[in-house]
């Protein structure tokens, strides 16, 4: 139980609007997007970097643990407190005061509390956007702390690639502010400190501002669903598309038939686009796009995509069983419905894995073969980003499956999947969701002891206070 | 003077081919590409990561300082020993044994001693290349330690963006090997340790292997020289080109008239492409390129570029005074001759600066106005990468200028330029050459004391041994 003295001190820093505690309703902050619910000692809602610094300084000096919370849309329990009621939440939701576009530099300087949709709303009139395409609508600080990737990674990269500068408050007694808010695209003047805060789940500092690269909005796009003649042909199909389309390929997403069926089932308004309504085993959503102003006489992208698919279709390799160019909106609606679809298909046990691009389909084929040898009656509803090696590997268990009552069942299943993914396929146990509390045990297992020691030394020396959900 | 015991111990690790010392000719290793010449205690030439580890371990345990040397093409004295004769060189030039392409992943796993030209030679048959375009031909380890950018940064980014994995030997008593050789494109499982070694001039560890992203070779390109109606119109011209061409724009390089004249003067075989041979004050080299396989009926890129320039020409803003699409090879030959040209125009005092894109031309205009107020008779021969804010700001002083005899002249001039660039324009004192010994004093001056303390703590905890030319 936190003392009234501390509450008083924090209220003095933050003003009455800036602090929730005691009888206030903190449940929205205590509850994660999907999996987690904890109890907070308080919720601090600073509106400036200086207030963040004062809060962090007070908490570090008095040993009060803090968890920074951004949009609270994460899936690894990185932004909510645990169940002890001893951790305070430092919410970024009032750090929204800054949003300055530098048109020539093609960068925006923004508060870490701005939502992705707000940022993109403000950029739209300028024909620009922050090119990270996600199902959720996070705030910027959390996007940086988890280094989100998403569906257009193939074309635009991750948040790391698009972050030019940060302002960060370290977890030390002073609440030291590191002003790394450079808008420079080329700058090699020592350690690139911002990298320490990108993708480390908020444990090394509280991100309060950022300078982001923004990109021209695509002015034209075309989308197709591709049915490979065999899942094993998917890598060759990706290379053929990259060869034919070059940089124009902006998404190459894989969708298992089980995931598609779950989405069609859950969202009845979705049109079933497949012949006679028969969902194939595996489908690719491929998108090409262009940002340039249309030129007279330029071939339209839909026609380009049709031509390219025609050439691949006629190729000797027989890569395609079916392919159809269709309405972009409809096809992406199907893609974006997968996540909710699989959640409603039963009890979801989800993994955010990645592999070298050539190993994704090998891993899926291996699991299709091996999983039933160990666990019967589990449906694999994977989907993901074949173009960059990411797979949302979803296992769905019937809700009335008696094994779910066994507390050892899910941990053992998770261990089996991680072992295959990391040990046998050299993959990542967290492609784009970062570590958080949820992946802590996996981090501890698969990070070499020497690297963990280096991480602990770094934490102890740079930002030693009790900050964040993940422990490095 | 290093003892025979140490030489014996190192020879035992490296074998007779692996060590130069004493009477051996070490001058090629002791002499930098342009500015520096030092004296080495020995040259260690390990052929494997294990040998690197053993050498580093021996040297750290016995307090022998080491400077890692890659292709030795750097311009900041980061790869050569100082004049004391106490530093050993650890050359990467035999770390060339690995070069494995993963075609589906579009990555190559390579030894850090491989030269850029060797790597690209091996990739060419596959239609791929490592997309960092430089005047020099460095080895990969040094490219990573300096985070080189180059002329196609606008399209492909820097080395950081294209580095997926590293193997590094830390400067500790064990010569700890950090194996970060992942080929994963998405991976957020803790601290991204490789970032600590990218762009830090070799002070945090010796890079022995790397996994790099490779890109499809452009199959078509077109190049134009643009003469802006005023240098102040260059940013608007850049935005107009990006708007019209989207991702197709692969270079947007600025060349001052003085730099062009120096190149034409120094390389008589270059054709003077300008009307009546009159070199304009400022010229842009713009390149567009495509990687896709040509499609029937697709408009050729030269025609695209002509159309776009026609539209800009007719635009109401009057951005262009002249523009001509020409032979790509000839135009790039002019661009690539600038560096040698300005070196031969007199005594060169060179700066590798960067700015937000909108500030590049403002800085140049300011300097054109202000420099003569402080220093008469100095020719500004700048050129650089307007598309990413980088400027090679070159000052040329007549070789017989009596001020050159004054040892205070060049330091004062450098201080003046750095002050304007960093303090008044928020720019970087090292855009793409990193720190090294040459920029140490500037690093010390412009890095906040708190950040320098963090860097020192990081060095002391992670990789404490005396390694590298720059001191963080």
């Amino acid at each position: 139980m936190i003392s009234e003295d501390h509450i008083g001190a924090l209220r003095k820093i933050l003003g009455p609007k800036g602090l929730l505690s005691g009888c206030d309703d903190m449940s929205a902050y205590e509850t994660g997007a999907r999996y987690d619910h904890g109890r907070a000692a308080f919720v601090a809602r600073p509106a400036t970097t200086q207030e963040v610094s004062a809060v962090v300084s007070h908490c570090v000096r008095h040993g009060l643990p803090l968890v920074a919370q951004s949009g609270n849309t994460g899936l690894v329990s990185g932004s909510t407190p645990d169940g002890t009621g001893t951790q305070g939440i430092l919410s970024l939701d009032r750090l929204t005061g800054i949003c300055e576009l530098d048109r020539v530099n093609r960068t925006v300087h923004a508060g870490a509390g701005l939502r992705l949709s707000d940022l993109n709303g403000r950029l739209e009139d300028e024909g620009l956007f922050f090119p990270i395409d996600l199902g959720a609508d996070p705030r910027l600080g959390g996007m940086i702390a988890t280094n989100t990737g998403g569906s257009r990674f193939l074309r635009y990269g991750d948040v790391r690639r698009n972050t030019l500068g940060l302002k960060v408050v370290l977890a030390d007694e002073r609440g030291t502010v590191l002003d790394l808010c450079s808008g420079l695209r080329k700058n090699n003047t020592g350690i690139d400190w911002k990298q320490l805060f990108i993708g480390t789940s908020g444990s090394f500092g509280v991100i309060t501002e950022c300078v982001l690269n923004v990109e021209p909005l695509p002015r034209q796009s075309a989308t197709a669903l591709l049915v490979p003649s065999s899942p094993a042909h998917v890598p060759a199909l990706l290379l053929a598309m990259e060869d034919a389309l070059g940089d124009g390929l902006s998404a190459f997403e894989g969708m298992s038939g089980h995931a598609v069926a779950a989405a069609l089932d859950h969202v009845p308004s979705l049109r079933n686009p497949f012949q006679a309504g028969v969902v194939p085993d595996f489908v690719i959503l491929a998108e090409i796009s262009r940002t340039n102003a249309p030129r007279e006489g330029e071939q339209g992208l839909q026609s380009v995509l049709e031509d390219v698919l025609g050439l691949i279709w006629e190729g000797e390799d027989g890569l395609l069983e079916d392919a159809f160019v269709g309405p972009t909106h409809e096809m992406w609606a199907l893609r974006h419905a997968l996540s909710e679809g699989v959640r409603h298909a039963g009890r979801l046990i989800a993994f955010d894995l990645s592999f070298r691009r050539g190993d994704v389909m090998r891993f899926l084929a291996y699991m299709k073969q091996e999983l039933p040898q160990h666990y019967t009656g589990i449906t694999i509803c994977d989907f993901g980003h074949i173009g960059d090696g990411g797979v949302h590997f979803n296992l769905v268990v019937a809700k009335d499956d008696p094994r779910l009552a066994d507390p050892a069942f899910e941990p053992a299943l998770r261990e089996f999947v991680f072992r295959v993914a990391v040990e046998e396929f050299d993959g990542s146990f967290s492609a784009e969701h970062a570590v958080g509390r949820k992946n802590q045990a996996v981090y501890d297992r698969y990070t070499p002891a020497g690297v963990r020691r280096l991480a602990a030394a770094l934490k102890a020396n740079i930002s030693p206070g009790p900050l964040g959900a993940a422990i490095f």
Side-chain angles (χ1 to χ4, degrees), chain A:
Chain A
M1 188 68 183
I2 188 167
S3 79
E4 277 309 310
D5 285 357
H6 289 312
I7 293 297
L10 292 170
R11 183 158 287 129
K12 201 170 160 199
I13 294 165
L14 294 164
K17 278 204 305 190
L19 192 79
L20 306 178
S21 70
C23 303
D24 296 319
D25 179 11
M26 303 190 278
S27 57
Y29 296 90
E30 293 170 322
T31 308
R34 197 171 291 177
Y35 302 108
D36 42 328
H37 183 79
R39 281 202 316 125
F42 58 86
V43 179
R45 301 177 62 219
T48 64
T49 298
Q50 291 68 31
E51 288 183 4
V52 173
S53 169
V55 169
V56 169
S57 170
H58 180 89
C59 291
V60 171
R61 278 184 290 117
H62 296 92
L64 307 176
L66 276 177
V67 175
Q69 181 176 101
S70 180
N72 199 14
T73 59
L75 299 175
V76 295
S77 305
S79 58
T80 47
D82 61 23
T84 62
T86 59
Q87 297 180 310
I89 293 172
L90 194 160
S91 170
L92 309 186
D93 61 359
R94 289 174 72 217
L95 290 169
T96 54
I98 304 170
C99 187
E100 291 158 11
L101 175 66
D102 180 336
R103 190 66 191 76
V104 177
N105 207 38
R106 262 209 288 103
T107 53
V108 64
H109 179 185
L114 216 63
R115 281 207 191 267
L116 177 59
S117 61
D118 288 338
L119 176 64
N120 282 336
R122 297 193 201 191
L123 294 171
E124 194 175 357
D125 283 349
E126 299 284 340
L128 297 168
F129 77 132
F130 184 52
I132 308 296
D133 178 65
L134 302 173
D137 187 21
R139 298 182 195 273
L140 301 178
M143 291 181 74
I144 295 165
T146 50
N147 188 25
T148 51
S151 295
R152 263 83 176 205
F153 182 104
L154 182 62
R155 168 70 189 81
Y156 298 104
D158 53 13
V159 168
R160 190 184 300 280
R161 172 165 144 191
N162 290 285
T163 301
L164 276 71
L166 292 180
K167 192 174 279 185
V168 182
V169 176
L170 299 181
D172 59 18
E173 296 210 343
R174 294 178 177 187
T176 298
V177 178
L178 271 192
D179 186 349
L180 313 165
C181 265
S182 162
L184 300 175
R185 292 176 176 273
K186 269 184 175 163
N187 184 20
N188 284 292
T189 52
I191 296 169
D192 188 2
W193 284 100
K194 67 178 179 290
Q195 306 296 344
L196 180 59
F197 309 99
I198 300 174
T200 46
S201 302
S203 291
F204 285 88
V206 181
I207 297 162
T208 63
E209 297 174 26
C210 54
V211 181
L212 303 174
N213 172 58
V214 295
E215 291 283 332
L217 273 168
R219 278 158 158 149
Q220 221 191 117
S221 67
T223 312
L225 292 180
L226 318 180
V227 182
S229 48
S230 149
H233 287 162
V234 167
L237 197 51
L238 171 60
L239 292 189
M241 296 284 284
E242 288 192 336
D243 184 61
L245 292 160
D247 320 320
L249 190 66
S250 48
F252 192 88
E253 300 276 289
M255 310 191 282
S256 69
H258 287 142
V260 171
L264 291 171
D265 209 43
H266 178 62
V267 187
S269 63
L270 289 173
R271 195 177 72 80
N272 182 326
F274 302 101
Q275 279 194 355
V278 180
V279 176
D281 278 356
F282 201 82
V283 191
I284 299 289
L285 184 157
E287 179 195 75
I288 63 175
S289 58
R290 257 184 210 151
T291 63
N292 62 283
R295 285 185 302 273
E296 211 178 316
E298 191 181 34
Q299 188 183 12
L301 272 193
Q302 186 150 334
S303 157
V304 168
L305 189 52
E306 281 164 0
D307 284 0
V308 165
L309 291 176
L311 288 169
I312 293 176
W313 184 266
E314 287 159 17
E316 281 176 42
D317 298 336
L319 297 176
L320 284 172
E321 185 178 302
D322 199 359
F324 37 100
V325 177
T328 290
H329 176 77
E330 197 174 294
M331 291 178 170
W332 278 103
L334 176 60
R335 168 65 186 82
H336 284 313
L338 299 179
S339 182
E340 282 301 296
V342 299
R343 275 185 66 197
H344 286 82
R347 168 69 176 276
L348 174 63
I349 300 170
F351 301 83
D352 167 41
L353 309 175
S354 77
F355 303 92
R356 289 181 296 265
R357 304 202 306 181
D359 286 342
V360 177
M361 301 310 297
R362 281 183 51 230
F363 170 80
L364 293 174
Y366 179 94
M367 275 301 192
K368 199 170 171 181
Q369 182 78 30
E370 285 298 309
L371 187 69
Q373 313 293 323
H374 300 77
Y375 294 90
T376 54
I378 292 180
T379 312
I380 303 178
C381 297
D382 61 283
F383 59 91
H385 319 292
I386 306 287
D388 56 58
V391 188
H392 298 293
F393 187 70
N394 299 298
L395 302 182
V396 175
V397 185
K399 280 190 171 137
D400 58 359
D401 190 310
R403 291 173 296 184
L404 290 173
D406 175 2
F409 170 70
E410 186 175 327
L413 176 56
R414 298 186 76 83
E415 191 176 323
F416 169 73
V417 172
F418 283 129
R419 193 182 53 69
V420 173
V422 178
E423 296 181 31
E424 296 187 25
F425 284 86
D426 258 352
S428 168
F429 62 81
S430 188
E432 51 182 358
H433 294 168
V435 177
R437 267 197 312 282
K438 187 159 178 248
N439 286 323
Q440 184 73 54
V442 201
Y443 171 85
D444 292 343
R445 171 175 307 157
Y446 287 117
T447 309
V451 173
R452 276 185 288 139
R453 271 196 303 273
L454 291 180
L458 189 52
K459 171 76 185 157
N461 278 279
I462 306 294
S463 189
L467 177 70
I471 295 162
F472 291 107

